Amino acid sequence: MNIITISGSLKATSFNTGLLRSLAQIAPEGIVVSEASIADIPLFNEDLETTGLPPAVATLKQQIADADGVIISTPEYNFSYSGVLKNAIDWASRGPVRPFAEKPVATLSVSPGNFGGIRAQTDLRRLMHSIGAHVLPKPEIAIPQAKLKFDDDRRLTDEATHAMLTAMLEKFGTFIRTHQTQSAE
Amino acid sequence: MNIITISGSLKATSFNTGLLRSLAQIAPEGIVVSEASIADIPLFNEDLETTGLPPAVATLKQQIADADGVIISTPEYNFSYSGVLKNAIDWASRGPVRPFAEKPVATLSVSPGNFGGIRAQTDLRRLMHSIGAHVLPKPEIAIPQAKLKFDDDRRLTDEATHAMLTAMLEKFGTFIRTHQTQSAE
Amino acid sequence: MNIITISGSLKATSFNTGLLRSLAQIAPEGIVVSEASIADIPLFNEDLETTGLPPAVATLKQQIADADGVIISTPEYNFSYSGVLKNAIDWASRGPVRPFAEKPVATLSVSPGNFGGIRAQTDLRRLMHSIGAHVLPKPEIAIPQAKLKFDDDRRLTDEATHAMLTAMLEKFGTFIRTHQTQSAE
Amino acid sequence: MNIITISGSLKATSFNTGLLRSLAQIAPEGIVVSEASIADIPLFNEDLETTGLPPAVATLKQQIADADGVIISTPEYNFSYSGVLKNAIDWASRGPVRPFAEKPVATLSVSPGNFGGIRAQTDLRRLMHSIGAHVLPKPEIAIPQAKLKFDDDRRLTDEATHAMLTAMLEKFGTFIRTHQTQSAE
C-alpha cells in the first residue's frame, strides 16, 4: 500500500513536515509512506492551465493518482489552512483529471500553540469533502505544544503522539482497503 | 480618500479583476481607487521572512498601510477563496507591522455560475475578521452570471450591478470616515 | 428503499418543507420518501438525556436508524443552517446509539433570495461530515428565487428544478446501494 | 457599565454557565455583569413571529438592547456552537428591532477536552459578524481541560484563567467605550 504525504508548510524546520516524516518511520509493514512536494507549484493562474500544466503540478497530480491514500498536515494561519496548501489543492482539483475524487485522505495538524491547528484542519476537511475525497473521520489528531514533542531536527519524540499516529495509520489502512473494495464492485 | 483593490485571481481575463477596475470608473469625486498586485508574491515560507521580506510583499504591505481602505474581490475555488489570495493575506498578516489591523475592508465576489462566489466571500470575511480588519457589513454584493454582465474586455456593462457598486462605494466612504474619527479620538 | 426527509424550518408555508414533500411525488418506483418531524424536539439539555430521552428525540433517532437514507433541506438564517435543525442534529448525534454514522445523507436548500441558501447548505454538509454521515457530493442543489418556483401551497411548479431533483434522487439511490454493499462486505 | 451574559448550554452543571457566573465575581468596579437566559426560548418558527413575539424572546431582545455589551460562552457540539444558542440568535436577529447590530460582543468557550471549544467559538464569531455585532478580537479565550479548572459547583478555581478573564474584561470595557464614542459622533 502506497501513501503519499503533503505538508502545508514550506519551512525547513516545519513541525508539520517533521510529523509527516515521522509517519514513514512508524508505518507498519506493507505500507510505504513517501513525501510529495508542493514547493515548486506556482501561484494558480488559469492562463497557465491553457498553455500546459506546470511540471510540478503535473507531478503532484500523478503522485496523488498513483497513491492508495494521501495524508495532509497543515499549519494554521489566520484560523485556517495555509494559502500555500490551498493553492496546491486548487491546482490539483481542476482539469479533466481530478485525482482527489474518491481518494482516501487523512488529515493532521500540529502547532506550537494550545489548539494544535484544529481550526485549520477542520477547514482542510471541509475542503477535501468539497472535492470528493473520502476523509478518514476518526481519529482526529491535532497536536498542540509541538516544541515539547519534537526534537530540534523535528523528529517526533513524544510517545503518546507516536501511539496515536500508529493507531491512525492502522485505521487508515483499513479505510483505504474498504474504499478499494467498494470501487472494485 | 485613497482605496486600493486586490483581486484574488491572476488570470488576464478575470471577472474579479474586471469588477475591481470598474470601481475606479465608478468612484465618486474625492475617492481614488487603484490596483495592488499579488502576482509576484512568492509562496509563503517562514524561512524567507527571516532573510528579508520579498519585495512584492513589502510593497503590498506598504500599499495596505497607506490606503484608507481596501476592497478585495475573490473567485471561488472549491467552495472558498483562492489559495493565491490566502497566500498573499498570510504574508500581509504577519511580522511586526500588520497593516490589516483596524483597516476598513470591503469584500466582493463574482462568478460565471449562479451563486456569485458567495461562499468564497463568506470565508474571506471570516479571514478578514480574524486579522482584525473592519469589514463593511452591508451591502453584500456577490455577482452571479458574470458572462451576462461584463463585455469581452471584462468591463462591467450591467446597469443594476453598476448601481449596487455605486451605493457600496458611498457606504464604504462613510464607513472609512467613521473608523478614522474613532482612531483619532 | 426507504428515505426520510427532515426540514430545517417549522413554518407551515416553508419552501424547504414544500420541496421535501415534492420529493415524495417525484420518487421513482422502489423508493418511498416520508417526512420525519423535528417540531416537538425540545431544546437540547444534557440533563434531559440522563432522565430519559424525550419521545420526539427517540422517535427521530429510530426513524434515522431505520431509513436507508436521509434528505435534509435547510433555510438560511444568518449565513448558516437554522438553529432548530442544529438542535435536532445535536440530539441525534449523541448517546450510545448514533444513527447518522455511516448513513447516506443528501442535502438541499431553497430560499426566496438569490443564493438559494447555499451557505447554510455548505455548513450543513460540514456538520453531516463531522458526525460520520456519507454525504452525496453531487448534484448540489440550492434553489434560489423560490417564489417563482412554487405555488401558494408550496408545491414545486418549476420544471427545471423538477428535473434536477429527479436526477438527484436517482443518484442518491445508487449512492445508498453502494454504501450498503460496502457495509455488507 | 452593564454587561449581560448568554450561555449556550442549558445544563445545570455547565462549565460555560459556570464560567460566565465567575465573570460577575471578577468584574472590576463600574462593570455590572448579569445573566440573560435562553432556557425558555421556543424553537424558532416564523409563524410564531406573526402572532406576537414569545415573551422569552421579547425579554432577551430587550436585555440585549439595554446592555452596553454582551458576553457569550458556548459549548462545542459536532465542531460548532450549540443548536440551542443558534436558535436564540436566530430569534434575536430578526424583526424590525435588531439589538445585536453595532453591539459590542465578546466570545468565550470552555470544554472538558483539549481544544476548549475553539471551533464552536470561531463559528460563533462568524455568526456575530454576520449580524453586525462588533466582536472583541483579542484576547481569544478558549478554555480546555475544564475539569481541572472548576470545582464541583462550577466555580472557576484556576488562577491563570482568572487572570486571563480579568484582562479580557478590562479590554472589553475599553472596547465598549470606544464604540459608544463612535456612535455618539
mmCIF file of all heavy atoms in Angstrom, chain C residues 118-148:
data_model
loop_
_atom_site.group_PDB
_atom_site.id
_atom_site.type_symbol
_atom_site.label_atom_id
_atom_site.label_comp_id
_atom_site.label_asym_id
_atom_site.label_seq_id
_atom_site.Cartn_x
_atom_site.Cartn_y
_atom_site.Cartn_z
ATOM 1 N N ILE C 118 -27.213 28.629 -0.103
ATOM 2 C CA ILE C 118 -26.042 27.785 -0.349
ATOM 3 C C ILE C 118 -25.063 27.796 0.831
ATOM 4 O O ILE C 118 -24.390 26.797 1.108
ATOM 5 C CB ILE C 118 -25.337 28.192 -1.668
ATOM 6 C CG1 ILE C 118 -24.279 27.162 -2.053
ATOM 7 C CG2 ILE C 118 -24.692 29.567 -1.580
ATOM 8 C CD1 ILE C 118 -24.841 25.814 -2.358
ATOM 9 N N ARG C 119 -24.986 28.905 1.555
ATOM 10 C CA ARG C 119 -24.076 28.923 2.705
ATOM 11 C C ARG C 119 -24.588 28.041 3.828
ATOM 12 O O ARG C 119 -23.827 27.369 4.511
ATOM 13 C CB ARG C 119 -23.899 30.360 3.203
ATOM 14 C CG ARG C 119 -23.034 31.159 2.253
ATOM 15 C CD ARG C 119 -22.856 32.551 2.735
ATOM 16 N NE ARG C 119 -24.084 33.325 2.539
ATOM 17 C CZ ARG C 119 -24.130 34.652 2.515
ATOM 18 N NH1 ARG C 119 -23.027 35.341 2.718
ATOM 19 N NH2 ARG C 119 -25.261 35.281 2.315
ATOM 20 N N ALA C 120 -25.895 28.057 4.032
ATOM 21 C CA ALA C 120 -26.489 27.171 5.035
ATOM 22 C C ALA C 120 -26.229 25.712 4.667
ATOM 23 O O ALA C 120 -25.869 24.890 5.511
ATOM 24 C CB ALA C 120 -27.991 27.431 5.143
ATOM 25 N N GLN C 121 -26.388 25.412 3.383
ATOM 26 C CA GLN C 121 -26.216 24.027 2.940
ATOM 27 C C GLN C 121 -24.755 23.589 3.067
ATOM 28 O O GLN C 121 -24.462 22.442 3.427
ATOM 29 C CB GLN C 121 -26.705 23.854 1.498
ATOM 30 C CG GLN C 121 -26.729 22.401 1.078
ATOM 31 C CD GLN C 121 -27.248 22.160 -0.338
ATOM 32 O OE1 GLN C 121 -27.021 21.099 -0.899
ATOM 33 N NE2 GLN C 121 -27.943 23.123 -0.913
ATOM 34 N N THR C 122 -23.830 24.503 2.781
ATOM 35 C CA THR C 122 -22.411 24.177 2.919
ATOM 36 C C THR C 122 -22.080 23.873 4.384
ATOM 37 O O THR C 122 -21.370 22.909 4.688
ATOM 38 C CB THR C 122 -21.548 25.342 2.387
ATOM 39 O OG1 THR C 122 -21.883 25.567 1.015
ATOM 40 C CG2 THR C 122 -20.068 25.024 2.480
ATOM 41 N N ASP C 123 -22.610 24.669 5.296
ATOM 42 C CA ASP C 123 -22.410 24.387 6.722
ATOM 43 C C ASP C 123 -23.080 23.062 7.120
ATOM 44 O O ASP C 123 -22.548 22.312 7.946
ATOM 45 C CB ASP C 123 -22.971 25.526 7.578
ATOM 46 C CG ASP C 123 -21.944 26.629 7.825
ATOM 47 O OD1 ASP C 123 -20.856 26.586 7.225
ATOM 48 O OD2 ASP C 123 -22.222 27.539 8.631
ATOM 49 N N LEU C 124 -24.226 22.793 6.538
ATOM 50 C CA LEU C 124 -24.926 21.540 6.845
ATOM 51 C C LEU C 124 -24.100 20.333 6.402
ATOM 52 O O LEU C 124 -24.007 19.321 7.114
ATOM 53 C CB LEU C 124 -26.293 21.531 6.149
ATOM 54 C CG LEU C 124 -27.113 20.247 6.253
ATOM 55 C CD1 LEU C 124 -27.388 19.865 7.705
ATOM 56 C CD2 LEU C 124 -28.441 20.395 5.487
ATOM 57 N N ARG C 125 -23.470 20.435 5.249
ATOM 58 C CA ARG C 125 -22.617 19.330 4.793
ATOM 59 C C ARG C 125 -21.437 19.125 5.741
ATOM 60 O O ARG C 125 -21.080 17.996 6.073
ATOM 61 C CB ARG C 125 -22.098 19.621 3.375
ATOM 62 C CG ARG C 125 -23.185 19.466 2.329
ATOM 63 C CD ARG C 125 -22.669 19.816 0.947
ATOM 64 N NE ARG C 125 -23.642 19.382 -0.042
ATOM 65 C CZ ARG C 125 -23.346 18.806 -1.199
ATOM 66 N NH1 ARG C 125 -22.086 18.608 -1.544
ATOM 67 N NH2 ARG C 125 -24.289 18.419 -2.026
ATOM 68 N N ARG C 126 -20.834 20.216 6.152
ATOM 69 C CA ARG C 126 -19.735 20.121 7.125
ATOM 70 C C ARG C 126 -20.221 19.433 8.409
ATOM 71 O O ARG C 126 -19.551 18.559 8.963
ATOM 72 C CB ARG C 126 -19.215 21.528 7.432
ATOM 73 C CG ARG C 126 -18.172 21.604 8.501
ATOM 74 C CD ARG C 126 -17.482 22.971 8.553
ATOM 75 N NE ARG C 126 -18.363 24.080 8.861
ATOM 76 C CZ ARG C 126 -18.403 24.733 10.032
ATOM 77 N NH1 ARG C 126 -17.589 24.386 11.019
ATOM 78 N NH2 ARG C 126 -19.229 25.738 10.225
ATOM 79 N N LEU C 127 -21.418 19.815 8.854
ATOM 80 C CA LEU C 127 -21.991 19.225 10.065
ATOM 81 C C LEU C 127 -22.204 17.720 9.885
ATOM 82 O O LEU C 127 -21.868 16.920 10.769
ATOM 83 C CB LEU C 127 -23.316 19.926 10.375
ATOM 84 C CG LEU C 127 -24.107 19.444 11.588
ATOM 85 C CD1 LEU C 127 -23.327 19.656 12.876
ATOM 86 C CD2 LEU C 127 -25.457 20.159 11.671
ATOM 87 N N MET C 128 -22.750 17.341 8.753
ATOM 88 C CA MET C 128 -23.004 15.924 8.491
ATOM 89 C C MET C 128 -21.694 15.129 8.434
ATOM 90 O O MET C 128 -21.591 14.035 8.971
ATOM 91 C CB MET C 128 -23.778 15.761 7.177
ATOM 92 C CG MET C 128 -25.227 16.175 7.251
ATOM 93 S SD MET C 128 -26.181 15.071 8.366
ATOM 94 C CE MET C 128 -26.579 16.228 9.680
ATOM 95 N N HIS C 129 -20.684 15.707 7.790
ATOM 96 C CA HIS C 129 -19.387 15.033 7.757
ATOM 97 C C HIS C 129 -18.847 14.856 9.176
ATOM 98 O O HIS C 129 -18.257 13.825 9.495
ATOM 99 C CB HIS C 129 -18.378 15.846 6.925
ATOM 100 C CG HIS C 129 -18.569 15.705 5.453
ATOM 101 N ND1 HIS C 129 -18.721 16.793 4.624
ATOM 102 C CD2 HIS C 129 -18.649 14.622 4.643
ATOM 103 C CE1 HIS C 129 -18.865 16.369 3.374
ATOM 104 N NE2 HIS C 129 -18.832 15.067 3.352
ATOM 105 N N SER C 130 -19.060 15.854 10.014
ATOM 106 C CA SER C 130 -18.477 15.793 11.359
ATOM 107 C C SER C 130 -19.090 14.680 12.202
ATOM 108 O O SER C 130 -18.499 14.253 13.189
ATOM 109 C CB SER C 130 -18.619 17.141 12.065
ATOM 110 O OG SER C 130 -19.923 17.296 12.621
ATOM 111 N N ILE C 131 -20.283 14.208 11.831
ATOM 112 C CA ILE C 131 -20.883 13.115 12.609
ATOM 113 C C ILE C 131 -20.835 11.797 11.841
ATOM 114 O O ILE C 131 -21.538 10.846 12.189
ATOM 115 C CB ILE C 131 -22.320 13.450 13.063
ATOM 116 C CG1 ILE C 131 -23.226 13.782 11.874
ATOM 117 C CG2 ILE C 131 -22.287 14.643 14.023
ATOM 118 C CD1 ILE C 131 -24.673 14.088 12.291
ATOM 119 N N GLY C 132 -20.007 11.765 10.804
ATOM 120 C CA GLY C 132 -19.714 10.480 10.177
ATOM 121 C C GLY C 132 -20.718 10.013 9.150
ATOM 122 O O GLY C 132 -20.692 8.850 8.744
ATOM 123 N N ALA C 133 -21.611 10.908 8.700
ATOM 124 C CA ALA C 133 -22.535 10.521 7.629
ATOM 125 C C ALA C 133 -21.793 10.480 6.295
ATOM 126 O O ALA C 133 -20.746 11.098 6.133
ATOM 127 C CB ALA C 133 -23.688 11.520 7.553
ATOM 128 N N HIS C 134 -22.332 9.736 5.328
ATOM 129 C CA HIS C 134 -21.824 9.771 3.956
ATOM 130 C C HIS C 134 -22.678 10.771 3.180
ATOM 131 O O HIS C 134 -23.869 10.536 2.972
ATOM 132 C CB HIS C 134 -21.937 8.397 3.298
ATOM 133 C CG HIS C 134 -21.098 7.343 3.948
ATOM 134 N ND1 HIS C 134 -19.729 7.367 3.929
ATOM 135 C CD2 HIS C 134 -21.443 6.241 4.655
ATOM 136 C CE1 HIS C 134 -19.253 6.316 4.580
ATOM 137 N NE2 HIS C 134 -20.277 5.613 5.042
ATOM 138 N N VAL C 135 -22.082 11.865 2.780
ATOM 139 C CA VAL C 135 -22.852 12.929 2.133
ATOM 140 C C VAL C 135 -22.744 12.816 0.614
ATOM 141 O O VAL C 135 -21.635 12.772 0.073
ATOM 142 C CB VAL C 135 -22.346 14.312 2.592
ATOM 143 C CG1 VAL C 135 -23.170 15.419 1.934
ATOM 144 C CG2 VAL C 135 -22.406 14.421 4.106
ATOM 145 N N LEU C 136 -23.871 12.771 -0.062
ATOM 146 C CA LEU C 136 -23.884 12.740 -1.530
ATOM 147 C C LEU C 136 -23.185 13.988 -2.052
ATOM 148 O O LEU C 136 -23.645 15.109 -1.816
ATOM 149 C CB LEU C 136 -25.337 12.716 -2.029
ATOM 150 C CG LEU C 136 -25.530 12.664 -3.556
ATOM 151 C CD1 LEU C 136 -25.185 11.278 -4.090
ATOM 152 C CD2 LEU C 136 -26.963 13.032 -3.949
ATOM 153 N N PRO C 137 -22.054 13.818 -2.787
ATOM 154 C CA PRO C 137 -21.329 15.034 -3.194
ATOM 155 C C PRO C 137 -22.021 15.830 -4.310
ATOM 156 O O PRO C 137 -22.077 17.046 -4.244
ATOM 157 C CB PRO C 137 -19.961 14.513 -3.657
ATOM 158 C CG PRO C 137 -20.009 13.023 -3.643
ATOM 159 C CD PRO C 137 -21.333 12.565 -3.107
ATOM 160 N N LYS C 138 -22.513 15.142 -5.317
ATOM 161 C CA LYS C 138 -23.147 15.819 -6.450
ATOM 162 C C LYS C 138 -24.419 15.073 -6.818
ATOM 163 O O LYS C 138 -24.460 13.851 -6.669
ATOM 164 C CB LYS C 138 -22.217 15.822 -7.682
ATOM 165 C CG LYS C 138 -20.881 16.466 -7.484
ATOM 166 C CD LYS C 138 -20.930 17.947 -7.711
ATOM 167 C CE LYS C 138 -19.599 18.577 -7.297
ATOM 168 N NZ LYS C 138 -19.590 20.012 -7.325
ATOM 169 N N PRO C 139 -25.434 15.701 -7.380
ATOM 170 C CA PRO C 139 -25.508 17.140 -7.638
ATOM 171 C C PRO C 139 -25.717 17.927 -6.346
ATOM 172 O O PRO C 139 -26.224 17.392 -5.358
ATOM 173 C CB PRO C 139 -26.738 17.263 -8.536
ATOM 174 C CG PRO C 139 -27.602 16.119 -8.152
ATOM 175 C CD PRO C 139 -26.671 15.010 -7.771
ATOM 176 N N GLU C 140 -25.314 19.168 -6.405
ATOM 177 C CA GLU C 140 -25.509 20.081 -5.287
ATOM 178 C C GLU C 140 -26.603 21.059 -5.684
ATOM 179 O O GLU C 140 -26.393 21.887 -6.552
ATOM 180 C CB GLU C 140 -24.188 20.796 -5.029
ATOM 181 C CG GLU C 140 -24.263 21.814 -3.931
ATOM 182 C CD GLU C 140 -22.999 22.658 -3.912
ATOM 183 O OE1 GLU C 140 -22.562 23.130 -4.990
ATOM 184 O OE2 GLU C 140 -22.462 22.852 -2.825
ATOM 185 N N ILE C 141 -27.754 20.922 -5.044
ATOM 186 C CA ILE C 141 -28.912 21.708 -5.475
ATOM 187 C C ILE C 141 -29.304 22.731 -4.410
ATOM 188 O O ILE C 141 -29.722 22.375 -3.314
ATOM 189 C CB ILE C 141 -30.110 20.778 -5.796
ATOM 190 C CG1 ILE C 141 -29.696 19.744 -6.865
ATOM 191 C CG2 ILE C 141 -31.308 21.591 -6.256
ATOM 192 C CD1 ILE C 141 -30.777 18.738 -7.194
ATOM 193 N N ALA C 142 -29.134 23.987 -4.739
ATOM 194 C CA ALA C 142 -29.599 25.088 -3.893
ATOM 195 C C ALA C 142 -30.520 25.923 -4.764
ATOM 196 O O ALA C 142 -30.097 26.409 -5.814
ATOM 197 C CB ALA C 142 -28.418 25.914 -3.396
ATOM 198 N N ILE C 143 -31.737 26.090 -4.351
ATOM 199 C CA ILE C 143 -32.763 26.664 -5.225
ATOM 200 C C ILE C 143 -33.054 28.113 -4.841
ATOM 201 O O ILE C 143 -33.636 28.370 -3.783
ATOM 202 C CB ILE C 143 -34.051 25.815 -5.155
ATOM 203 C CG1 ILE C 143 -33.723 24.358 -5.505
ATOM 204 C CG2 ILE C 143 -35.139 26.391 -6.052
ATOM 205 C CD1 ILE C 143 -34.827 23.374 -5.193
ATOM 206 N N PRO C 144 -32.644 29.066 -5.674
ATOM 207 C CA PRO C 144 -32.933 30.471 -5.388
ATOM 208 C C PRO C 144 -34.308 30.867 -5.925
ATOM 209 O O PRO C 144 -34.967 30.069 -6.597
ATOM 210 C CB PRO C 144 -31.821 31.201 -6.149
ATOM 211 C CG PRO C 144 -31.496 30.311 -7.299
ATOM 212 C CD PRO C 144 -31.849 28.908 -6.894
ATOM 213 N N GLN C 145 -34.725 32.081 -5.614
ATOM 214 C CA GLN C 145 -35.953 32.660 -6.203
ATOM 215 C C GLN C 145 -37.151 31.738 -6.014
ATOM 216 O O GLN C 145 -37.918 31.479 -6.956
ATOM 217 C CB GLN C 145 -35.730 32.918 -7.708
ATOM 218 C CG GLN C 145 -34.528 33.799 -8.007
ATOM 219 C CD GLN C 145 -34.795 35.272 -7.679
ATOM 220 O OE1 GLN C 145 -35.834 35.620 -7.114
ATOM 221 N NE2 GLN C 145 -33.837 36.135 -7.975
ATOM 222 N N ALA C 146 -37.320 31.246 -4.808
ATOM 223 C CA ALA C 146 -38.347 30.226 -4.561
ATOM 224 C C ALA C 146 -39.739 30.680 -4.978
ATOM 225 O O ALA C 146 -40.551 29.868 -5.434
ATOM 226 C CB ALA C 146 -38.347 29.839 -3.075
ATOM 227 N N LYS C 147 -40.024 31.957 -4.826
ATOM 228 C CA LYS C 147 -41.393 32.411 -5.116
ATOM 229 C C LYS C 147 -41.792 32.169 -6.572
ATOM 230 O O LYS C 147 -42.978 32.065 -6.885
ATOM 231 C CB LYS C 147 -41.540 33.887 -4.762
ATOM 232 C CG LYS C 147 -41.694 34.070 -3.259
ATOM 233 C CD LYS C 147 -41.686 35.524 -2.815
ATOM 234 C CE LYS C 147 -41.590 35.556 -1.279
ATOM 235 N NZ LYS C 147 -41.159 36.872 -0.795
ATOM 236 N N LEU C 148 -40.799 32.074 -7.443
ATOM 237 C CA LEU C 148 -41.102 31.829 -8.855
ATOM 238 C C LEU C 148 -41.241 30.343 -9.167
ATOM 239 O O LEU C 148 -41.625 29.977 -10.279
ATOM 240 C CB LEU C 148 -39.994 32.407 -9.743
ATOM 241 C CG LEU C 148 -39.610 33.871 -9.513
ATOM 242 C CD1 LEU C 148 -38.435 34.259 -10.389
ATOM 243 C CD2 LEU C 148 -40.818 34.762 -9.783
#
